[in-house]
Amino acid sequence: MLSVDLGTDSVRVCGPDETAGGLRLHAETALRPGSGPRHLAFHPDGRTVYVLHELEPQLTVCRWDPGAGRLEPALEVPLALEGLPEGVRAYPSAVVAAPDGSAVWVAVRGADTIAAFSLADGADRPRLTGSVPCGGSRPRDLAADPSGRRLYAANEHSGDVTWFAVDRRTGLPIRAGSVAVPAAACVVFA
């Protein structure tokens, strides 16, 4: 199990504790001090992990060795957030990889956008293709449907879930609709 720790700027790897039950710390991967890791997502290849930072808007691409239970940072990708009004800070909140491995999306509170990254150059080389409005205010979570044709944003402050069709060529989300959901915090597919 991998978990981000904003306070220690690290990702913790835990495994089952056969003796005491529960989980035990197996390894901890330090990230840039002050970056504030908030969320992570696996690429479908199972060996690439995207760690999203809240305090320093960036994505850290990591290599995952499942046999050893080790995570190694490989590349930092800044989120290009031009055009924010003066005094408005961007706080990235969620990252999700397309089920087919073609793209990664990031929700950004403050900017109220979804940034789209193409993975055409490889899972470990995300390239920003653009960003679009999230359809509401303060996107707290993102979810891709299992087909990868739709992306959903849970917009907490505006109280709605907005859904997007995904442009198969660019990975950019195209707004398709929304539904009122007071204090929307996440979208889950069961």
Side-chain angles (χ1 to χ4, degrees):
M1 179 184 85
L2 276 66
S3 63
V4 295
D5 188 328
L6 187 141
T8 63
D9 294 313
S10 67
V11 176
R12 293 181 176 175
V13 180
C14 294
D17 185 329
E18 304 293 335
T19 307
L23 296 173
R24 64 171 174 70
L25 182 64
H26 170 74
E28 189 167 4
T29 301
L31 299 169
R32 182 191 304 272
S35 62
R38 176 182 168 88
H39 197 239
L40 65 79
F42 274 86
H43 183 273
D45 69 8
R47 294 192 173 270
T48 307
V49 175
Y50 306 100
V51 179
L52 181 64
H53 301 270
E54 179 176 22
L55 303 179
E56 185 176 286
Q58 72 178 19
L59 202 58
T60 298
V61 181
C62 300
R63 292 182 191 96
W64 170 244
D65 179 342
R70 299 278 179 211
L71 189 69
E72 177 187 338
L75 175 70
E76 292 179 349
V77 180
L79 301 179
L81 300 169
E82 297 89 23
L84 284 177
E86 190 172 326
V88 174
R89 289 216 36 205
Y91 293 99
S93 57
V95 58
V96 64
D100 68 0
S102 64
V104 170
W105 300 286
V106 172
V108 183
R109 296 167 298 164
D112 292 338
T113 58
I114 299 171
F117 292 85
S118 169
L119 298 177
D121 299 331
D124 60 346
R125 291 187 295 276
R127 181 177 36 84
L128 183 68
T129 56
S131 64
V132 299
C134 68
S137 176
R138 305 294 280 187
R140 186 174 177 94
D141 191 34
L142 289 177
D145 78 343
S147 75
R149 292 187 299 232
R150 289 192 184 82
L151 183 66
Y152 296 81
N155 297 310
E156 184 176 27
H157 284 197
S158 56
D160 61 77
V161 172
T162 301
W163 62 90
F164 302 82
V166 175
D167 181 307
R168 303 303 284 171
R169 188 178 55 78
T170 65
L172 281 171
I174 302 161
R175 187 179 172 155
S178 68
V179 63
V181 180
C186 68
V187 176
V188 177
F189 288 91

